[in-house]
Amino acid sequence: MAEASLTISSKNYSSWALRGWLLCKMAGLDFEERILPADDPSTRAELLLLSPSFLVPCLKHGDISVWDTLAIAEYLHEIRPEAGLLPQDRAVRAHCRAIAGEMHSGFSNLRSALPMNLKAYHPRFKVWAGAQGDIDRITAVWRDCLVRYGGPYLFGTLTMADAMYAPVCTRLRTYDVPVDSQSAAYCGRILNLPFMLEWITAARAEPEEIEELDVEF
Ligand SMILES: N[C@@H](CCC(=O)N[C@@H](CS)C(=O)NCC(=O)O)C(=O)O
Protein backbone atom coordinates (compact mmCIF):
# COMPACT_ATOMS: atom_id res chain seq x y z
CA MET A 1 0.00 0.00 0.00
CA ALA A 2 1.23 3.47 -0.85
CA GLU A 3 2.44 5.79 1.90
CA ALA A 4 -0.04 8.52 0.94
CA SER A 5 -2.97 9.30 -1.32
CA LEU A 6 -3.76 12.35 -3.37
CA THR A 7 -7.37 13.07 -4.24
CA ILE A 8 -7.75 14.90 -7.52
CA SER A 9 -10.47 15.49 -10.09
CA SER A 10 -10.09 15.91 -13.83
CA LYS A 11 -6.56 15.73 -15.20
CA ASN A 12 -7.68 17.65 -18.26
CA TYR A 13 -9.25 20.62 -16.49
CA SER A 14 -7.99 20.82 -12.92
CA SER A 15 -4.91 22.99 -12.76
CA TRP A 16 -4.74 22.74 -8.96
CA ALA A 17 -4.83 18.96 -9.17
CA LEU A 18 -1.90 19.13 -11.62
CA ARG A 19 0.08 21.34 -9.25
CA GLY A 20 -0.55 19.04 -6.26
CA TRP A 21 0.29 15.93 -8.25
CA LEU A 22 3.49 17.45 -9.63
CA LEU A 23 4.57 18.49 -6.15
CA CYS A 24 4.09 14.93 -4.87
CA LYS A 25 6.08 13.56 -7.82
CA MET A 26 8.84 16.14 -7.38
CA ALA A 27 9.02 15.28 -3.67
CA GLY A 28 9.42 11.58 -4.55
CA LEU A 29 6.39 10.67 -2.41
CA ASP A 30 5.01 7.17 -2.69
CA PHE A 31 1.34 7.99 -3.26
CA GLU A 32 -1.73 6.62 -4.95
CA GLU A 33 -4.09 8.79 -6.94
CA ARG A 34 -7.75 8.94 -6.09
CA ILE A 35 -9.55 10.41 -9.04
CA LEU A 36 -13.05 11.68 -8.28
CA PRO A 37 -15.32 12.72 -11.13
CA ALA A 38 -16.09 16.34 -10.19
CA ASP A 39 -19.82 16.45 -10.95
CA ASP A 40 -21.11 13.31 -9.23
CA PRO A 41 -23.12 13.97 -5.96
CA SER A 42 -21.72 10.96 -4.07
CA THR A 43 -18.26 12.05 -5.08
CA ARG A 44 -18.90 15.50 -3.71
CA ALA A 45 -20.06 14.00 -0.40
CA GLU A 46 -16.89 11.93 -0.20
CA LEU A 47 -14.78 14.93 -1.09
CA LEU A 48 -16.41 16.97 1.66
CA LEU A 49 -15.33 14.36 4.19
CA LEU A 50 -11.77 14.36 2.92
CA SER A 51 -11.40 18.01 2.18
CA PRO A 52 -13.47 20.41 4.31
CA SER A 53 -12.94 23.17 1.76
CA PHE A 54 -14.59 20.93 -0.86
CA LEU A 55 -11.60 21.48 -3.08
CA VAL A 56 -9.00 19.26 -4.66
CA PRO A 57 -6.15 18.43 -4.50
CA CYS A 58 -6.21 16.86 -1.05
CA LEU A 59 -3.22 14.94 0.31
CA LYS A 60 -3.74 12.24 2.91
CA HIS A 61 -0.56 11.10 4.66
CA GLY A 62 -1.28 8.79 7.59
CA ASP A 63 -3.77 10.66 9.76
CA ILE A 64 -2.89 13.99 8.27
CA SER A 65 -5.05 15.63 5.59
CA VAL A 66 -3.80 18.67 3.69
CA TRP A 67 -6.22 20.26 1.22
CA ASP A 68 -4.67 23.39 -0.13
CA THR A 69 -1.98 23.33 -2.81
CA LEU A 70 0.38 25.72 -1.11
CA ALA A 71 -0.09 23.92 2.21
CA ILE A 72 0.62 20.62 0.39
CA ALA A 73 3.83 22.11 -1.04
CA GLU A 74 4.99 23.28 2.39
CA TYR A 75 4.03 19.95 3.99
CA LEU A 76 5.95 18.00 1.34
CA HIS A 77 8.97 20.22 1.91
CA GLU A 78 8.80 19.39 5.63
CA ILE A 79 8.64 15.64 5.12
CA ARG A 80 11.00 15.52 2.12
CA PRO A 81 13.45 18.43 2.57
CA GLU A 82 16.01 16.62 0.44
CA ALA A 83 13.75 16.98 -2.62
CA GLY A 84 14.54 20.69 -2.74
CA LEU A 85 10.99 21.99 -3.21
CA LEU A 86 12.34 25.16 -1.61
CA PRO A 87 15.85 26.54 -2.23
CA GLN A 88 18.51 26.20 0.49
CA ASP A 89 19.42 29.86 0.78
CA ARG A 90 17.03 31.82 3.02
CA ALA A 91 16.75 34.86 0.75
CA VAL A 92 16.19 32.71 -2.33
CA ARG A 93 13.71 30.60 -0.40
CA ALA A 94 11.76 33.74 0.48
CA HIS A 95 11.76 34.73 -3.19
CA CYS A 96 10.54 31.27 -4.20
CA ARG A 97 7.71 31.44 -1.65
CA ALA A 98 6.73 34.89 -2.89
CA ILE A 99 6.58 33.70 -6.50
CA ALA A 100 4.60 30.57 -5.58
CA GLY A 101 2.25 32.66 -3.41
CA GLU A 102 1.68 35.16 -6.20
CA MET A 103 0.42 32.35 -8.44
CA HIS A 104 -1.65 30.84 -5.66
CA SER A 105 -3.51 34.05 -4.85
CA GLY A 106 -3.44 35.93 -8.13
CA PHE A 107 -3.76 35.98 -11.89
CA SER A 108 -7.51 35.47 -11.79
CA ASN A 109 -7.96 37.09 -15.22
CA LEU A 110 -5.69 34.54 -16.84
CA ARG A 111 -7.26 31.69 -14.91
CA SER A 112 -10.83 32.56 -15.86
CA ALA A 113 -10.24 33.64 -19.46
CA LEU A 114 -7.90 30.80 -20.42
CA PRO A 115 -9.00 27.74 -18.40
CA MET A 116 -6.68 24.76 -18.42
CA ASN A 117 -7.80 22.28 -21.07
CA LEU A 118 -5.10 19.90 -22.18
CA LYS A 119 -7.21 18.34 -24.93
CA ALA A 120 -7.93 21.65 -26.64
CA TYR A 121 -5.95 23.81 -29.04
CA HIS A 122 -7.08 27.31 -30.01
CA PRO A 123 -4.70 28.81 -32.54
CA ARG A 124 -4.33 32.61 -32.39
CA PHE A 125 -6.74 32.87 -29.45
CA LYS A 126 -7.72 36.51 -28.78
CA VAL A 127 -6.39 37.31 -25.31
CA TRP A 128 -8.17 40.28 -23.67
CA ALA A 129 -6.17 43.03 -21.98
CA GLY A 130 -6.75 41.84 -18.39
CA ALA A 131 -5.45 38.35 -19.10
CA GLN A 132 -2.59 39.79 -21.15
CA GLY A 133 -1.57 41.86 -18.11
CA ASP A 134 -1.34 38.65 -16.07
CA ILE A 135 0.69 36.97 -18.81
CA ASP A 136 3.07 39.93 -18.99
CA ARG A 137 3.61 39.87 -15.24
CA ILE A 138 4.16 36.08 -15.22
CA THR A 139 6.69 36.15 -18.03
CA ALA A 140 8.51 39.06 -16.34
CA VAL A 141 8.73 36.94 -13.17
CA TRP A 142 10.05 33.99 -15.18
CA ARG A 143 12.69 36.05 -17.00
CA ASP A 144 13.86 37.62 -13.77
CA CYS A 145 14.23 34.21 -12.09
CA LEU A 146 15.90 32.58 -15.09
CA VAL A 147 18.49 35.39 -15.30
CA ARG A 148 19.06 35.62 -11.53
CA TYR A 149 19.42 31.91 -10.86
CA GLY A 150 20.71 30.77 -14.24
CA GLY A 151 17.92 28.30 -15.12
CA PRO A 152 17.02 25.87 -16.48
CA TYR A 153 14.11 26.11 -13.98
CA LEU A 154 12.97 29.20 -12.09
CA PHE A 155 15.29 28.68 -9.13
CA GLY A 156 17.91 26.59 -10.93
CA THR A 157 16.69 23.14 -9.98
CA LEU A 158 12.97 22.25 -9.85
CA THR A 159 11.14 23.83 -6.92
CA MET A 160 7.55 24.39 -5.83
CA ALA A 161 7.49 27.54 -7.97
CA ASP A 162 7.82 25.47 -11.16
CA ALA A 163 4.92 23.27 -10.07
CA MET A 164 2.79 26.33 -9.35
CA TYR A 165 3.39 27.79 -12.82
CA ALA A 166 3.26 24.53 -14.81
CA PRO A 167 -0.46 24.99 -15.70
CA VAL A 168 0.39 28.42 -17.11
CA CYS A 169 2.77 26.69 -19.53
CA THR A 170 -0.04 24.41 -20.66
CA ARG A 171 -2.42 27.37 -21.11
CA LEU A 172 0.08 29.30 -23.22
CA ARG A 173 0.30 26.28 -25.48
CA THR A 174 -3.45 25.52 -25.56
CA TYR A 175 -4.31 29.13 -26.47
CA ASP A 176 -1.29 29.64 -28.73
CA VAL A 177 -0.18 32.73 -26.81
CA PRO A 178 3.02 34.34 -28.13
CA VAL A 179 5.65 35.07 -25.46
CA ASP A 180 9.34 36.08 -25.46
CA SER A 181 11.90 33.44 -26.40
CA GLN A 182 13.18 32.91 -22.84
CA SER A 183 9.68 32.24 -21.52
CA ALA A 184 8.85 30.02 -24.50
CA ALA A 185 11.98 27.95 -23.89
CA TYR A 186 11.09 27.66 -20.20
CA CYS A 187 7.58 26.46 -21.11
CA GLY A 188 9.07 23.90 -23.47
CA ARG A 189 11.26 22.52 -20.68
CA ILE A 190 8.34 22.26 -18.27
CA LEU A 191 5.99 20.68 -20.82
CA ASN A 192 8.62 18.07 -21.64
CA LEU A 193 9.34 16.98 -18.09
CA PRO A 194 8.59 13.24 -17.87
CA PHE A 195 5.99 13.90 -15.11
CA MET A 196 4.25 16.47 -17.29
CA LEU A 197 4.21 14.14 -20.29
CA GLU A 198 2.71 11.43 -18.10
CA TRP A 199 -0.02 13.78 -16.83
CA ILE A 200 -0.83 15.19 -20.28
CA THR A 201 -1.15 11.71 -21.78
CA ALA A 202 -3.56 10.69 -19.01
CA ALA A 203 -5.53 13.94 -19.38
CA ARG A 204 -6.00 13.39 -23.10
CA ALA A 205 -7.31 9.89 -22.43
CA GLU A 206 -10.02 11.14 -20.04
CA PRO A 207 -13.50 10.50 -21.38
CA GLU A 208 -15.49 13.36 -19.89
CA GLU A 209 -15.86 16.85 -21.29
CA ILE A 210 -17.05 19.80 -19.23
CA GLU A 211 -18.94 22.08 -21.61
CA GLU A 212 -18.48 25.35 -19.71
CA LEU A 213 -14.72 24.88 -19.80
CA ASP A 214 -14.58 24.14 -23.50
CA VAL A 215 -14.28 27.66 -24.88
CA GLU A 216 -15.29 27.88 -28.48
CA PHE A 217 -13.96 30.27 -31.11
N1 LIG B 1 -6.69 27.39 -3.47
C1 LIG B 1 -7.05 26.01 -3.68
C2 LIG B 1 -7.77 25.91 -5.00
C3 LIG B 1 -8.26 24.55 -5.29
C4 LIG B 1 -9.36 24.55 -6.33
O1 LIG B 1 -9.93 25.59 -6.69
N2 LIG B 1 -9.69 23.36 -6.81
C5 LIG B 1 -10.77 23.18 -7.77
C6 LIG B 1 -10.33 22.28 -8.91
S1 LIG B 1 -9.07 23.00 -9.88
C7 LIG B 1 -11.91 22.48 -7.10
O2 LIG B 1 -11.69 21.56 -6.33
N3 LIG B 1 -13.14 22.92 -7.35
C8 LIG B 1 -14.31 22.32 -6.76
C9 LIG B 1 -14.90 21.21 -7.52
O3 LIG B 1 -14.37 20.89 -8.60
O4 LIG B 1 -15.84 20.63 -7.02
C10 LIG B 1 -5.77 25.20 -3.63
O5 LIG B 1 -4.72 25.81 -3.57
O6 LIG B 1 -5.79 23.98 -3.61
Side-chain angles (χ1 to χ4, degrees), residues 14-16 38 44 54-57 67-70 104:
S14 176
S15 64
W16 292 107
R44 296 188 78 82
F54 220 93
L55 298 175
V56 294
W67 58 83
D68 177 273
T69 308
L70 211 45
H104 190 249

Side-chain angles (χ1 to χ4, degrees), residues 74-199:
E74 290 286 349
Y75 180 76
L76 289 169
H77 177 66
E78 275 190 34
I79 62 167
R80 292 284 189 284
E82 68 283 1
L85 288 179
L86 282 170
Q88 296 217 326
D89 178 86
R90 188 168 56 165
V92 183
R93 200 159 59 242
H95 188 199
C96 183
R97 283 193 165 112
I99 297 297
E102 191 172 347
M103 179 74 244
H104 190 249
S105 61
F107 306 125
S108 55
N109 289 329
L110 170 69
R111 279 159 34 186
S112 55
L114 283 68
M116 190 173 98
N117 185 344
L118 295 168
K119 289 186 201 175
Y121 180 58
H122 299 287
R124 293 176 302 284
F125 184 85
K126 178 93 186 81
V127 178
W128 70 285
Q132 188 59 51
D134 284 353
I135 292 167
D136 293 345
R137 167 65 191 153
I138 290 171
T139 51
V141 164
W142 288 354
R143 287 193 303 275
D144 176 48
C145 284
L146 293 167
V147 169
R148 266 207 236 189
Y149 307 113
Y153 304 109
L154 295 178
F155 290 85
T157 53
L158 282 173
T159 63
M160 61 172 70
D162 299 292
M164 292 302 282
Y165 285 87
V168 175
C169 300
T170 76
R171 287 169 157 116
L172 294 179
R173 181 165 72 181
T174 295
Y175 298 96
D176 192 27
V177 181
V179 289
D180 63 277
S181 58
Q182 230 177 336
S183 300
Y186 171 69
C187 282
R189 285 193 288 278
I190 293 296
L191 292 171
N192 282 300
L193 288 172
F195 296 147
M196 282 299 286
L197 295 173
E198 183 185 337
W199 177 279

Side-chain angles (χ1 to χ4, degrees), residues 1-5 30-33:
M1 197 176 128
E3 181 191 350
S5 68
D30 168 32
F31 71 102
E32 62 184 21
E33 291 171 19

